[in-house]
């Protein structure tokens, strides 16, 4: 019998906020400094824990927004009535600390492979966060893997990483579901076969797909991909809510 290597234990540790960036009215990116950070892969996440003065604790999982080799960063959308996200978006300041555990996850990650299989990234709302990490990882490496992002979002005001994505118009497409910018060529609509077929790599190229967003979006998008001929084993999904 061959022994299976044990996974390293992931402990809670203090993370210091070193900077913040407002992405839109409800979304904030937090830059973190974590002593002894082991590095992470594009697509991994961490657990964040807050402790109240009375000892009550609340824990939430957040995708890592930065590429491997960058300091860890979290992009948080305020959930109305939430216990953790309103504090991270509206209250926490540079120099404050949170408890963090990670990096976590090995399935929903991307790194270049020898075959350079095309990669399709499908994001719904804040599901763009781990996919942004994949785009940044590719760019930092100077890698030539074909990669496209189709980002479904309700309105222009809710786009996350607006300026960064605008600089990648050759590989990023936005799909608005509620309202569009003036003069936008497509009326508001949810992701459908036509929109996806216009961005998806042909199945015969053996593409990989990464889909992240609310559960309903992920299930709908994965179904469309299989209808297009994508192999289910090559569709990797991560959902929230």
């Amino acid at each position: 019998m061959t022994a299976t290597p044990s996974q390293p234990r992931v402990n809670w540790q203090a993370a210091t906020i070193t900077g913040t960036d407002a992405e839109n009215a409800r979304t904030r990116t937090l830059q973190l400094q974590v002593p002894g950070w082991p590095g992470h892969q594009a697509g991994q996440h961490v657990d964040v824990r807050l402790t109240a003065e009375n000892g009550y604790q609340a824990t939430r999982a957040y995708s890592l927004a930065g590429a491997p080799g960058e300091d860890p960063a979290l992009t948080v959308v305020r959930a109305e009535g939430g216990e953790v996200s309103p504090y991270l978006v509206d209250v926490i300041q540079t120099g404050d600390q949170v408890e963090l555990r990670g990096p976590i996850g090995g399935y929903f990650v991307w790194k270049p492979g020898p075959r350079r299989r095309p990669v399709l990234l499908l994001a719904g709302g804040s599901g763009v966060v781990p996919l942004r990490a994949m785009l940044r990882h590719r760019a930092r490496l100077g890698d030539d893997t074909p990669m496209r992002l189709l980002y479904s979002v309700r309105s222009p005001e809710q786009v996350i990483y607006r300026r960064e994505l605008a600089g990648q118009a050759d590989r990023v497409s936005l799909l608005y579901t509620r309202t569009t910018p003036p003069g936008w060529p497509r009326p508001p609509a949810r992701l459908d076969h036509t929109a996806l077929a216009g961005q998806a790599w042909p199945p015969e190229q053996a593409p990989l797909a990464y889909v992240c967003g609310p559960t309903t979006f992920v299930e709908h998008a994965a179904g469309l991909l299989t209808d297009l001929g994508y192999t289910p084993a090559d569709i990797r999904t991560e959902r929230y809510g």
Side-chain angles (χ1 to χ4, degrees), residues 177-239:
T177 63
R178 297 286 180 85
T179 59
T180 67
W184 195 253
R186 176 187 166 119
R190 68 186 302 217
L191 180 68
D192 58 17
H193 183 276
T194 300
L196 185 55
Q199 296 297 320
W201 305 102
E204 54 268 24
Q205 295 185 17
L208 292 172
Y210 292 81
V211 187
C212 187
T215 295
T216 52
F217 172 85
V218 171
E219 292 178 350
H220 176 66
L224 291 175
L225 287 169
T226 56
D227 290 344
L228 286 176
Y230 275 54
T231 302
D234 292 333
I235 304 171
R236 302 185 182 183
T237 63
E238 185 166 272
R239 63 197 72 198

Side-chain angles (χ1 to χ4, degrees), residues 18-214:
T18 59
T20 68
D21 296 296
E23 304 292 350
N24 58 43
R26 299 176 54 238
T27 309
R28 194 182 191 192
T29 295
L30 308 176
Q31 308 295 332
L32 306 175
Q33 182 180 64
V34 185
W37 181 250
H40 59 276
Q41 299 181 70
Q44 287 188 303
H45 66 276
V46 296
D47 291 333
V48 174
R49 183 168 68 186
L50 302 180
T51 303
E53 292 182 0
N54 63 3
Y56 174 77
Q57 293 182 323
T59 302
R60 298 291 185 273
Y62 291 104
S63 295
L64 288 158
E70 297 178 329
D71 288 337
L74 308 177
T75 298
V76 182
V77 179
R78 184 197 312 111
E80 301 305 328
E83 293 182 314
V84 174
S85 62
Y87 176 78
L88 297 179
V89 173
D90 300 323
V91 179
I92 203 168
Q93 299 180 5
T94 298
D96 290 344
Q97 290 189 330
V98 296
E99 288 184 284
L100 180 147
R101 181 171 62 186
I104 300 169
Y107 170 71
F108 195 80
V109 299
W110 176 80
K111 55 185 176 182
R115 291 178 57 189
R116 293 296 192 269
R117 299 172 67 182
V119 178
L120 177 65
L121 309 175
L122 294 179
S126 60
V128 73
V129 177
L131 307 185
R132 180 246 201 170
M134 297 177 189
L135 284 171
R136 289 173 73 96
H137 187 32
R138 178 189 181 279
R140 281 174 57 87
L141 293 175
D143 183 74
D144 61 358
T145 298
M147 184 177 286
R148 294 174 183 161
L149 168 66
L150 180 57
Y151 180 12
S152 175
V153 64
R154 290 183 177 183
S155 68
E157 294 76 22
Q158 295 188 24
V159 173
I160 303 173
Y161 314 129
R162 179 188 305 275
R163 284 180 293 181
E164 182 174 335
L165 297 181
Q168 303 181 63
D170 58 331
R171 69 182 68 259
V172 175
S173 296
L174 294 174
L175 177 66
Y176 296 105
T177 63
R178 297 286 180 85
T179 59
T180 67
W184 195 253
R186 176 187 166 119
R190 68 186 302 217
L191 180 68
D192 58 17
H193 183 276
T194 300
L196 185 55
Q199 296 297 320
W201 305 102
E204 54 268 24
Q205 295 185 17
L208 292 172
Y210 292 81
V211 187
C212 187

